[in-house]
Amino acid sequence: MEPTMNELMNHTAGQGQAEMFSRAWYNEYFRRAADSPAHARFCEAVYGRDLCQHGMMDVDEMAFVAGLLKPGERVLEVGCSNGHISEYLQQQSGCRLLGVDYADVAVEQALRRTADRRAVLDFRCVDLTRDELPGTDYDTILAIDSLYFMGDYGATLCKLNARLKPGGRLIIAAFQVREDGDPEHVLEPAHTRLSQVLRTLGFDCVRHDFTANVRRHWIRNHDHSLRLQADFEAESNGFLCEARLAENGWFRDHAERETLVRYLYVIAQNAAPGPC
Ligand SMILES: C[S@@+](CC[C@H](N)C(=O)[O-])C[C@H]1O[C@@H](n2cnc3c(N)ncnc32)[C@H](O)[C@@H]1O
Protein backbone atom coordinates (compact mmCIF):
# COMPACT_ATOMS: atom_id res chain seq x y z
CA MET A 1 0.00 0.00 0.00
CA GLU A 2 1.34 3.40 -0.96
CA PRO A 3 2.34 5.41 2.16
CA THR A 4 -0.05 8.31 1.66
CA MET A 5 -2.99 5.93 1.37
CA ASN A 6 -1.87 4.25 4.59
CA GLU A 7 -2.00 7.61 6.25
CA LEU A 8 -5.49 8.18 4.92
CA MET A 9 -6.59 4.80 6.21
CA ASN A 10 -5.12 5.51 9.64
CA HIS A 11 -6.90 8.85 9.56
CA THR A 12 -10.23 7.20 8.78
CA ALA A 13 -9.78 4.35 11.28
CA GLY A 14 -10.73 6.68 14.12
CA GLN A 15 -14.05 7.33 12.38
CA GLY A 16 -15.13 3.68 12.43
CA GLN A 17 -13.84 3.11 8.92
CA ALA A 18 -11.10 0.58 9.73
CA GLU A 19 -12.30 -1.69 6.94
CA MET A 20 -12.37 1.13 4.43
CA PHE A 21 -11.15 0.05 0.96
CA SER A 22 -11.38 -3.69 1.76
CA ARG A 23 -13.15 -5.96 -0.73
CA ALA A 24 -16.20 -6.21 1.59
CA TRP A 25 -16.28 -2.43 1.94
CA TYR A 26 -16.13 -1.89 -1.84
CA ASN A 27 -18.81 -4.55 -2.38
CA GLU A 28 -21.07 -2.73 0.06
CA TYR A 29 -20.25 0.56 -1.63
CA PHE A 30 -21.11 -0.57 -5.17
CA ARG A 31 -24.14 -2.65 -4.06
CA ARG A 32 -25.66 0.58 -2.77
CA ALA A 33 -24.21 3.07 -5.29
CA ALA A 34 -25.50 1.28 -8.41
CA ASP A 35 -29.14 2.02 -7.50
CA SER A 36 -28.79 5.20 -5.48
CA PRO A 37 -30.37 8.36 -6.95
CA ALA A 38 -28.40 10.49 -4.46
CA HIS A 39 -25.13 8.88 -5.58
CA ALA A 40 -26.05 9.51 -9.23
CA ARG A 41 -26.71 13.20 -8.42
CA PHE A 42 -23.45 13.37 -6.47
CA CYS A 43 -21.41 11.97 -9.39
CA GLU A 44 -23.14 14.21 -11.91
CA ALA A 45 -22.30 17.27 -9.79
CA VAL A 46 -18.75 16.27 -8.82
CA TYR A 47 -17.45 14.51 -11.96
CA GLY A 48 -19.63 16.18 -14.62
CA ARG A 49 -21.36 12.90 -15.50
CA ASP A 50 -22.65 9.95 -13.49
CA LEU A 51 -20.40 6.96 -14.14
CA CYS A 52 -20.63 5.64 -10.56
CA GLN A 53 -17.08 6.88 -10.00
CA HIS A 54 -15.10 6.31 -6.84
CA GLY A 55 -11.78 7.83 -7.90
CA MET A 56 -10.84 11.36 -8.92
CA MET A 57 -11.26 11.23 -12.70
CA ASP A 58 -13.79 13.73 -14.04
CA VAL A 59 -15.17 14.12 -17.58
CA ASP A 60 -12.29 16.29 -18.82
CA GLU A 61 -9.63 13.83 -17.69
CA MET A 62 -11.65 10.90 -19.06
CA ALA A 63 -11.90 12.56 -22.47
CA PHE A 64 -8.13 13.06 -22.37
CA VAL A 65 -7.53 9.36 -21.57
CA ALA A 66 -10.02 8.26 -24.26
CA GLY A 67 -8.02 10.36 -26.74
CA LEU A 68 -4.89 8.33 -25.93
CA LEU A 69 -6.54 4.98 -26.72
CA LYS A 70 -6.66 3.67 -30.29
CA PRO A 71 -9.40 1.78 -32.14
CA GLY A 72 -8.93 -1.99 -31.91
CA GLU A 73 -6.09 -1.90 -29.39
CA ARG A 74 -6.16 -4.35 -26.46
CA VAL A 75 -6.56 -2.64 -23.10
CA LEU A 76 -6.45 -4.10 -19.58
CA GLU A 77 -7.96 -1.83 -16.94
CA VAL A 78 -7.02 -2.67 -13.34
CA GLY A 79 -9.38 -1.50 -10.57
CA CYS A 80 -12.29 -0.88 -12.97
CA SER A 81 -15.02 -1.01 -10.25
CA ASN A 82 -18.44 -1.57 -11.89
CA GLY A 83 -17.13 -0.67 -15.31
CA HIS A 84 -18.96 2.52 -16.24
CA ILE A 85 -15.68 4.34 -16.94
CA SER A 86 -14.42 1.30 -18.90
CA GLU A 87 -17.62 1.34 -20.93
CA TYR A 88 -17.22 5.05 -21.68
CA LEU A 89 -13.56 4.63 -22.71
CA GLN A 90 -14.37 1.65 -24.92
CA GLN A 91 -17.20 3.48 -26.67
CA GLN A 92 -15.19 6.66 -27.21
CA SER A 93 -12.03 4.98 -28.50
CA GLY A 94 -13.19 1.74 -30.14
CA CYS A 95 -10.58 -0.25 -28.18
CA ARG A 96 -11.14 -3.79 -26.82
CA LEU A 97 -11.11 -3.62 -23.06
CA LEU A 98 -10.90 -6.17 -20.23
CA GLY A 99 -11.59 -4.66 -16.79
CA VAL A 100 -10.53 -6.38 -13.55
CA ASP A 101 -11.46 -5.60 -9.97
CA TYR A 102 -11.62 -7.58 -6.71
CA ALA A 103 -15.10 -6.31 -5.79
CA ASP A 104 -17.18 -9.19 -7.18
CA VAL A 105 -20.43 -7.25 -6.70
CA ALA A 106 -19.10 -4.47 -8.95
CA VAL A 107 -17.77 -6.94 -11.54
CA GLU A 108 -21.17 -8.68 -11.69
CA GLN A 109 -22.89 -5.33 -12.24
CA ALA A 110 -20.50 -4.59 -15.11
CA LEU A 111 -20.95 -8.03 -16.69
CA ARG A 112 -24.76 -7.83 -16.52
CA ARG A 113 -24.91 -4.34 -17.98
CA THR A 114 -22.60 -5.05 -20.93
CA ALA A 115 -23.63 -8.63 -21.87
CA ASP A 116 -24.39 -7.53 -25.45
CA ARG A 117 -20.85 -6.18 -26.02
CA ARG A 118 -18.71 -9.08 -24.83
CA ALA A 119 -16.50 -9.09 -27.95
CA VAL A 120 -15.11 -5.65 -27.09
CA LEU A 121 -15.83 -5.28 -23.36
CA ASP A 122 -15.31 -7.91 -20.67
CA PHE A 123 -14.81 -7.98 -16.91
CA ARG A 124 -13.23 -10.38 -14.47
CA CYS A 125 -12.86 -10.66 -10.72
CA VAL A 126 -9.13 -10.45 -9.85
CA ASP A 127 -7.38 -9.57 -6.59
CA LEU A 128 -4.39 -7.58 -7.80
CA THR A 129 -2.36 -8.34 -4.68
CA ARG A 130 -2.77 -12.13 -4.94
CA ASP A 131 -3.97 -13.35 -8.34
CA GLU A 132 -2.20 -13.65 -11.66
CA LEU A 133 -3.25 -11.01 -14.18
CA PRO A 134 -5.30 -12.49 -17.02
CA GLY A 135 -3.94 -12.29 -20.56
CA THR A 136 -0.74 -10.97 -22.05
CA ASP A 137 0.49 -8.79 -24.92
CA TYR A 138 -1.69 -5.80 -24.04
CA ASP A 139 -1.20 -2.56 -25.97
CA THR A 140 -2.21 -0.57 -22.91
CA ILE A 141 -2.70 -1.27 -19.22
CA LEU A 142 -4.71 1.39 -17.48
CA ALA A 143 -4.95 2.12 -13.74
CA ILE A 144 -7.23 4.96 -12.67
CA ASP A 145 -6.77 5.64 -8.97
CA SER A 146 -6.16 1.98 -8.24
CA LEU A 147 -2.37 1.71 -8.03
CA TYR A 148 -2.46 2.65 -4.32
CA PHE A 149 -4.21 -0.63 -3.50
CA MET A 150 -1.84 -2.99 -5.25
CA GLY A 151 1.05 -3.01 -2.80
CA ASP A 152 4.62 -1.95 -3.50
CA TYR A 153 4.84 0.41 -6.52
CA GLY A 154 7.97 -1.25 -7.94
CA ALA A 155 6.63 -4.80 -7.79
CA THR A 156 3.32 -3.64 -9.26
CA LEU A 157 4.94 -1.79 -12.16
CA CYS A 158 7.01 -4.87 -13.00
CA LYS A 159 3.94 -7.12 -12.79
CA LEU A 160 1.95 -4.87 -15.14
CA ASN A 161 4.88 -4.21 -17.50
CA ALA A 162 5.34 -7.99 -17.96
CA ARG A 163 1.85 -8.19 -19.52
CA LEU A 164 2.49 -5.49 -22.15
CA LYS A 165 3.49 -6.25 -25.68
CA PRO A 166 6.69 -4.65 -27.01
CA GLY A 167 5.92 -1.00 -27.66
CA GLY A 168 2.95 -1.05 -25.24
CA ARG A 169 2.37 1.41 -22.39
CA LEU A 170 1.03 1.76 -18.90
CA ILE A 171 -1.32 4.68 -18.28
CA ILE A 172 -1.61 5.47 -14.59
CA ALA A 173 -3.57 8.25 -12.88
CA ALA A 174 -2.26 8.79 -9.35
CA PHE A 175 -2.17 11.50 -6.70
CA GLN A 176 0.64 12.49 -4.37
CA VAL A 177 0.44 14.52 -1.16
CA ARG A 178 3.21 16.12 0.86
CA GLU A 179 2.98 15.23 4.55
CA ASP A 180 5.09 16.47 7.45
CA GLY A 181 8.59 15.15 6.99
CA ASP A 182 8.29 14.63 3.23
CA PRO A 183 10.88 16.40 1.08
CA GLU A 184 9.69 19.68 -0.45
CA HIS A 185 10.13 18.36 -4.00
CA VAL A 186 7.89 15.27 -3.58
CA LEU A 187 5.10 17.17 -5.37
CA GLU A 188 7.19 17.92 -8.45
CA PRO A 189 6.36 15.69 -11.43
CA ALA A 190 9.79 14.06 -11.59
CA HIS A 191 10.00 13.53 -7.81
CA THR A 192 6.69 11.97 -6.74
CA ARG A 193 7.05 8.54 -5.12
CA LEU A 194 5.86 6.92 -8.32
CA SER A 195 8.36 8.92 -10.42
CA GLN A 196 11.19 7.93 -8.09
CA VAL A 197 10.32 4.24 -8.51
CA LEU A 198 9.98 4.63 -12.29
CA ARG A 199 13.45 6.18 -12.43
CA THR A 200 15.00 3.42 -10.29
CA LEU A 201 13.52 0.78 -12.58
CA GLY A 202 14.56 2.63 -15.75
CA PHE A 203 11.10 3.34 -17.19
CA ASP A 204 10.60 6.20 -19.66
CA CYS A 205 7.56 8.27 -18.79
CA VAL A 206 5.60 11.31 -19.94
CA ARG A 207 3.55 13.05 -17.25
CA HIS A 208 0.40 15.12 -17.76
CA ASP A 209 -0.43 17.48 -14.92
CA PHE A 210 -3.98 17.10 -13.54
CA THR A 211 -3.25 19.04 -10.35
CA ALA A 212 -5.54 22.04 -10.83
CA ASN A 213 -8.35 19.66 -11.68
CA VAL A 214 -7.87 17.39 -8.65
CA ARG A 215 -7.77 20.30 -6.23
CA ARG A 216 -11.11 21.58 -7.58
CA HIS A 217 -12.38 18.00 -7.49
CA TRP A 218 -11.89 17.53 -3.74
CA ILE A 219 -13.48 20.85 -2.86
CA ARG A 220 -16.55 19.93 -4.96
CA ASN A 221 -16.52 16.38 -3.58
CA HIS A 222 -16.63 17.70 0.00
CA ASP A 223 -19.21 20.43 -0.70
CA HIS A 224 -21.61 18.11 -2.52
CA SER A 225 -21.44 15.31 0.01
CA LEU A 226 -22.47 17.79 2.71
CA ARG A 227 -25.18 19.23 0.44
CA LEU A 228 -26.61 15.78 -0.39
CA GLN A 229 -26.21 14.21 3.05
CA ALA A 230 -29.94 14.38 3.87
CA ASP A 231 -30.80 12.86 0.47
CA PHE A 232 -28.44 9.95 1.07
CA GLU A 233 -29.94 9.39 4.52
CA ALA A 234 -33.52 9.63 3.19
CA GLU A 235 -32.82 6.64 0.94
CA SER A 236 -31.02 4.76 3.76
CA ASN A 237 -27.69 5.21 2.03
CA GLY A 238 -25.96 7.22 4.75
CA PHE A 239 -23.07 4.74 4.34
CA LEU A 240 -22.25 6.20 0.91
CA CYS A 241 -22.12 9.74 2.22
CA GLU A 242 -20.07 8.73 5.28
CA ALA A 243 -17.67 6.91 2.97
CA ARG A 244 -17.12 10.11 1.00
CA LEU A 245 -16.85 12.34 4.06
CA ALA A 246 -14.31 9.97 5.61
CA GLU A 247 -11.82 10.88 2.89
CA ASN A 248 -12.80 14.16 1.29
CA GLY A 249 -12.10 16.38 4.33
CA TRP A 250 -8.54 15.03 4.39
CA PHE A 251 -8.08 15.60 0.66
CA ARG A 252 -9.73 19.03 0.75
CA ASP A 253 -7.32 20.11 3.44
CA HIS A 254 -4.39 19.07 1.22
CA ALA A 255 -5.99 20.74 -1.82
CA GLU A 256 -6.42 24.03 0.04
CA ARG A 257 -2.89 23.91 1.42
CA GLU A 258 -1.67 23.06 -2.10
CA THR A 259 0.07 19.92 -0.84
CA LEU A 260 -1.81 17.68 -3.27
CA VAL A 261 -0.86 16.99 -6.90
CA ARG A 262 -2.01 14.50 -9.49
CA TYR A 263 -0.42 13.30 -12.70
CA LEU A 264 -1.32 11.00 -15.53
CA TYR A 265 1.79 8.89 -16.15
CA VAL A 266 2.17 7.44 -19.65
CA ILE A 267 4.93 4.86 -19.23
CA ALA A 268 6.66 3.06 -22.10
CA GLN A 269 6.97 -0.74 -21.93
CA ASN A 270 10.42 -1.73 -20.72
CA ALA A 271 11.97 -4.95 -22.06
CA ALA A 272 14.43 -5.15 -19.16
CA PRO A 273 13.35 -3.13 -16.12
CA GLY A 274 15.94 -2.88 -13.48
CA PRO A 275 15.71 -4.55 -10.06
CA CYS A 276 12.12 -5.86 -9.95
C1 LIG B 1 -10.63 4.41 -5.76
S1 LIG B 1 -11.50 3.12 -6.59
C2 LIG B 1 -11.32 3.64 -8.28
C3 LIG B 1 -12.37 3.00 -9.15
C4 LIG B 1 -12.42 3.52 -10.59
N1 LIG B 1 -11.17 3.25 -11.27
C5 LIG B 1 -12.73 4.99 -10.61
O1 LIG B 1 -11.84 5.79 -10.95
O2 LIG B 1 -13.85 5.36 -10.24
C6 LIG B 1 -10.37 1.76 -6.47
C7 LIG B 1 -10.86 0.47 -7.12
O3 LIG B 1 -9.84 -0.51 -6.95
C8 LIG B 1 -10.41 -1.74 -6.55
N2 LIG B 1 -9.41 -2.48 -5.78
C9 LIG B 1 -8.86 -2.14 -4.58
N3 LIG B 1 -7.99 -3.08 -4.18
C10 LIG B 1 -7.98 -4.03 -5.15
C11 LIG B 1 -7.28 -5.26 -5.31
N4 LIG B 1 -6.43 -5.71 -4.39
N5 LIG B 1 -7.51 -5.99 -6.43
C12 LIG B 1 -8.38 -5.55 -7.37
N6 LIG B 1 -9.07 -4.40 -7.27
C13 LIG B 1 -8.88 -3.65 -6.17
C14 LIG B 1 -11.64 -1.36 -5.73
O4 LIG B 1 -12.59 -2.40 -5.66
C15 LIG B 1 -12.13 -0.13 -6.49
O5 LIG B 1 -13.05 -0.48 -7.50
Side-chain angles (χ1 to χ4, degrees):
M1 186 73 56
E2 202 267 342
T4 58
M5 193 53 78
N6 267 342
E7 278 150 13
L8 175 58
M9 289 172 83
N10 290 340
H11 162 81
T12 55
Q15 303 171 24
Q17 296 283 356
E19 295 300 318
M20 199 166 177
F21 309 130
S22 66
R23 170 187 252 157
W25 186 91
Y26 268 118
N27 271 338
E28 181 67 7
Y29 191 92
F30 289 111
R31 185 179 293 118
R32 291 169 175 274
D35 298 320
S36 161
H39 192 270
R41 281 202 295 283
F42 174 83
C43 289
E44 183 88 41
V46 172
Y47 299 95
R49 180 176 180 149
D50 170 30
L51 294 176
C52 206
Q53 295 92 331
H54 189 260
M56 308 174 199
M57 182 156 285
D58 69 7
V59 279
D60 294 339
E61 294 184 10
M62 249 180 351
F64 186 86
V65 172
L68 297 177
L69 303 177
K70 300 181 190 82
E73 77 169 344
R74 289 185 64 228
V75 178
L76 175 70
E77 184 189 359
V78 296
C80 65
S81 68
N82 62 4
H84 281 282
I85 294 178
S86 329
E87 206 179 332
Y88 169 89
L89 293 173
Q90 192 285 319
Q91 281 168 353
Q92 293 298 309
S93 68
C95 71
R96 290 172 290 156
L97 190 150
L98 172 64
V100 298
D101 200 286
Y102 77 165
D104 47 295
V105 166
V107 170
E108 277 161 28
Q109 291 171 355
L111 282 169
R112 258 200 313 276
R113 211 182 50 248
T114 61
D116 58 339
R117 276 158 287 162
R118 203 55 76 233
V120 289
L121 193 56
D122 203 357
F123 297 94
R124 208 165 297 173
C125 196
V126 174
D127 184 335
L128 297 161
T129 61
R130 298 205 317 229
D131 302 333
E132 283 289 305
L133 286 169
T136 188
D137 281 331
Y138 289 102
D139 297 285
T140 299
I141 299 182
L142 182 60
I144 304 170
D145 293 311
S146 59
L147 196 73
Y148 330 115
F149 304 101
M150 296 170 64
D152 177 71
Y153 274 176
T156 304
L157 288 167
C158 290
K159 184 173 167 177
L160 299 179
N161 176 65
R163 298 307 173 110
L164 287 173
K165 74 178 195 191
R169 70 241 161 111
L170 307 174
I171 301 182
I172 297 175
F175 78 90
Q176 174 71 58
V177 294
R178 188 179 67 230
E179 298 276 39
D180 291 345
D182 282 336
E184 196 69 25
H185 66 209
V186 76
L187 300 178
E188 293 171 15
H191 293 282
T192 62
R193 292 203 174 84
L194 181 53
S195 288
Q196 289 171 36
V197 175
L198 287 168
R199 197 165 32 252
T200 304
L201 295 175
F203 281 95
D204 286 332
C205 170
V206 174
R207 298 166 197 83
H208 302 274
D209 192 346
F210 287 171
T211 298
N213 217 32
V214 82
R215 290 180 182 168
R216 284 194 299 271
H217 166 85
W218 282 112
I219 292 166
R220 272 201 310 270
N221 191 314
H222 188 238
D223 282 347
H224 285 287
S225 50
L226 292 175
R227 206 164 286 158
L228 288 167
Q229 193 159 17
D231 296 15
F232 277 109
E233 278 160 14
E235 57 178 55
S236 303
N237 275 325
F239 169 84
L240 295 173
C241 195
E242 284 158 29
R244 295 293 182 154
L245 287 167
E247 61 176 355
N248 59 25
W250 184 86
F251 275 109
R252 181 184 190 137
D253 183 49
H254 276 291
E256 289 179 339
R257 288 193 289 126
E258 302 188 351
T259 50
L260 166 71
V261 293
R262 187 157 185 265
Y263 301 105
L264 186 77
Y265 301 79
V266 182
I267 303 158
Q269 183 263 354
N270 186 337
C276 270

